[in-house]
Amino acid sequence: MSNTTKKQPMSVVKKMMIALVGGLLVGIAFLLLREQLISSGNEGAWTILNKILFQDITAEDGVSAIGLFYIIGQLFMRGLQLAIVPLVLVSLSLAMCSISSSTKLGRIAGRTLIGFFLFYVCGAFLAGIVAYAVKSAGFFNVTLPSEAVTDAATLDAFNPLATIVNAVPSNIAAAFSSNNSILAVVVVAIIIGLCMNALGEKADPLKKVLESVNEIIQLYLTFLINKVGPIAIFCLISRTFAIYGTEYLAPAAAYIVAAMITLFVLVVTIYPIGIWVTTKMNPIKFIKKIAKVGVFGFSTNSSAACLPLNTRTCIDELGCSEEITSFVLPTGMTINMNGTTVMHMFAATFIATSAGIDVTPANLATIAFLSICAAMGCPAIPIAGTTLIVTILSGLGWTSDACMIAYALVVAINRPVEMALLPLNVIGDATVNVIVNAKEKELDKEKYNS
């Protein structure tokens, strides 16, 4: 009789956690090495090392670079982005087609939107209190750098209500050609699904095609996340910390630390409390299972990139129905940018205080309103939330040169905060999904508690 037992393969969660910790250690080691080489006059050695491992090969100064970590990270991110539009289109169309009752659809949509809005308000309120306390303690009083205001990356000013108009595309091909138009894809998918639902058996051929495409997408994403994901996360995290030196973090450490701690505290408080209050389910089970999605969001810095993993986790581990999940998560990816609003509360307070403006509670309420409107139309891509800060500033009339210089500083140092806000966004999507499933009595409680 053989005593050998078949070794269980390591779970993707453990692989991702190892990749995250390893990436942090390697990234910090390279950051310290970079500082040491530059301070000792060996900047040329760092330049060579940077070109081999970290250099953005698409940049003007990356023509002669290899950029191994950059290439691996980009291939993975682009591979995920490749699936975003077809995944949203197919899964949402099939979900709409399978919901037989229009009353049920209205209930699901209503509960989803109310859930997202309430978490928006909670996040903005608590972030406003902390930001005001930190500001009042004098931690946001910094000396602004003298770099040119034009270095700031900005978006053109826009009316947040334009999001409603842009949600209905005038050209279906144009909507499908960009990951920045996901809200339009959602609208098209809902239209297709509802029309298929109304046509019944006449739409069966199209339904079978969409189901086959859905299986192909799921197989592709399973391979990409399970096999390539951990390696790519290691490269993405290592590169992030290696190329952002201490000179970017030092001037506004109070802003970064306060925002990141608040974001983390909100993740482990408002969502578990929300689940317990509304469903009476064990919130610890939820946090343990959804943690890998938060880690993935922190690593990729993109809500859109997290959609496949979030979907699988909600259905396979949390017991959510495929029907409701296919509606709630794509909707959340497009309108639930709770973490972005929290970041906006801190960033706008920091920028105004740095520019000599006294931020009042009334100002904070206005910031929250403008941020929620802007965040709902924010593309689910990296850095989008940071660029939208200028919209908030414009809405408050904080557009002086001093404000723009402070904004340029935030743009330069905001990468860690951008990474930290993603878990709040994606775990918020899953939270509302669990709540809606529970209210619709479609949550598999045995699977949730397993």
Side-chain angles (χ1 to χ4, degrees):
M1 186 171 67
S2 174
N3 291 326
T4 58
T5 56
K6 190 175 181 181
K7 188 177 179 181
Q8 291 292 325
M10 186 183 296
S11 70
V12 71
V13 185
K14 288 184 179 178
K15 288 180 182 177
M16 285 184 182
M17 290 303 297
I18 291 170
L20 176 63
V21 174
L24 284 169
L25 294 175
V26 171
I28 291 170
F30 273 111
L31 188 153
L32 296 173
L33 176 62
R34 174 193 179 190
E35 296 299 315
Q36 173 62 29
L37 289 174
I38 292 174
S39 63
S40 61
N42 295 316
E43 193 169 345
W46 171 256
T47 301
I48 294 171
L49 197 61
N50 185 47
K51 284 188 174 183
I52 294 172
L53 297 177
F54 307 118
Q55 179 69 53
D56 178 352
I57 60 173
T58 64
E60 190 176 337
D61 56 350
V63 176
S64 59
I66 299 173
L68 291 175
F69 281 40
Y70 173 81
I71 290 173
I72 294 171
Q74 284 299 304
L75 287 175
F76 178 68
M77 290 296 294
R78 287 169 180 253
L80 284 172
Q81 291 166 353
L82 176 69
I84 290 167
V85 169
L87 177 66
V88 171
L89 178 68
V90 171
S91 63
L92 197 51
S93 296
L94 291 173
M96 293 297 99
C97 181
S98 62
I99 298 176
S100 55
S101 168
S102 59
T103 305
K104 180 181 178 182
L105 176 59
R107 271 201 325 270
I108 293 172
R111 284 171 169 161
T112 300
L113 294 175
I114 290 171
F116 288 143
F117 179 73
L118 290 177
F119 281 124
Y120 258 124
V121 173
C122 288
F125 177 73
L126 295 172
I129 290 174
V130 178
Y132 190 76
V134 174
K135 187 271 302 187
S136 300
F139 290 111
F140 283 170
N141 298 329
V142 300
T143 303
L144 293 175
S146 58
E147 66 246 26
V149 177
T150 53
D151 287 345
T154 62
L155 289 177
D156 293 334
F158 75 102
N159 187 329
L161 292 176
T163 303
I164 299 171
V165 177
N166 294 333
V168 181
S170 59
N171 185 317
I172 192 170
F176 291 172
S177 67
S178 170
N179 285 336
N180 296 346
S181 303
I182 295 297
L183 189 57
V185 178
V186 167
V187 170
V188 172
I190 290 173
I191 292 170
I192 293 173
L194 291 176
C195 291
M196 288 169 60
N197 199 329
L199 289 170
E201 292 182 0
K202 291 181 181 179
D204 280 350
L206 177 57
K207 185 178 180 181
K208 287 179 181 177
V209 170
L210 292 177
E211 287 172 343
S212 297
V213 172
N214 190 48
E215 289 179 12
I216 292 170
I217 294 170
Q218 295 302 329
L219 182 65
Y220 163 70
L221 289 172
T222 298
F223 170 80
L224 192 67
I225 291 170
N226 291 356
K227 303 298 182 184
V228 186
I231 300 169
I233 285 174
F234 172 79
C235 294
L236 287 164
I237 295 292
S238 298
R239 181 176 180 271
T240 295
F241 278 81
I243 64 175
Y244 284 86
T246 54
E247 72 274 12
Y248 291 108
L249 304 181
Y255 159 68
I256 293 172
V257 171
M260 291 184 72
I261 290 176
T262 303
L263 287 162
F264 174 75
V265 170
L266 288 175
V267 166
V268 297
T269 54
I270 63 171
Y271 295 143
I273 291 171
I275 283 183
W276 183 79
V277 168
T278 56
T279 70
K280 302 304 179 190
M281 302 292 288
N282 184 351
I284 306 300
K285 297 276 188 184
F286 172 78
I287 287 295
K288 284 183 177 178
K289 292 181 178 181
I290 206 66
K292 63 178 174 292
V293 179
V295 170
F296 198 72
F298 181 85
S299 305
T300 60
N301 196 25
S302 170
S303 296
C306 291
L307 180 61
L309 180 62
N310 210 355
T311 301
R312 298 291 296 277
T313 303
C314 284
I315 295 171
D316 298 342
E317 298 180 42
L318 292 172
C320 297
S321 78
E322 191 167 344
E323 179 183 87
I324 295 176
T325 299
S326 296
F327 176 82
V328 176
L329 292 189
T331 303
M333 188 190 76
T334 57
I335 67 172
N336 179 41
M337 299 293 172
N338 193 9
T340 302
T341 292
V342 171
M343 181 266 287
H344 285 167
M345 300 298 289
F346 280 95
T349 304
F350 170 74
I351 289 168
T353 305
S354 300
I357 298 170
D358 182 29
V359 180
T360 65
N363 292 144
L364 288 169
T366 306
I367 293 169
F369 173 75
L370 292 173
S371 176
I372 291 172
C373 292
M376 282 186 174
C378 179
I381 55 174
I383 311 302
T386 300
T387 55
L388 280 175
I389 294 171
V390 75
T391 304
I392 315 298
L393 299 176
S394 299
L396 288 156
W398 295 345
T399 54
S400 66
D401 286 350
C403 286
M404 290 299 102
I405 292 173
Y407 171 59
L409 172 61
V410 167
V411 172
I413 64 173
N414 212 40
R415 176 69 175 183
V417 181
E418 277 274 0
M419 294 170 70
L421 68 82
L422 254 297
L424 199 67
N425 289 349
V426 295
I427 293 177
D429 297 344
T431 303
V432 172
N433 189 32
V434 169
I435 292 171
V436 173
N437 271 271
K439 293 298 181 184
E440 290 294 320
K441 295 182 172 53
E442 293 193 26
L443 186 70
D444 186 337
K445 294 185 179 181
E446 287 186 13
K447 192 179 285 188
Y448 180 95
N449 290 313
S450 63

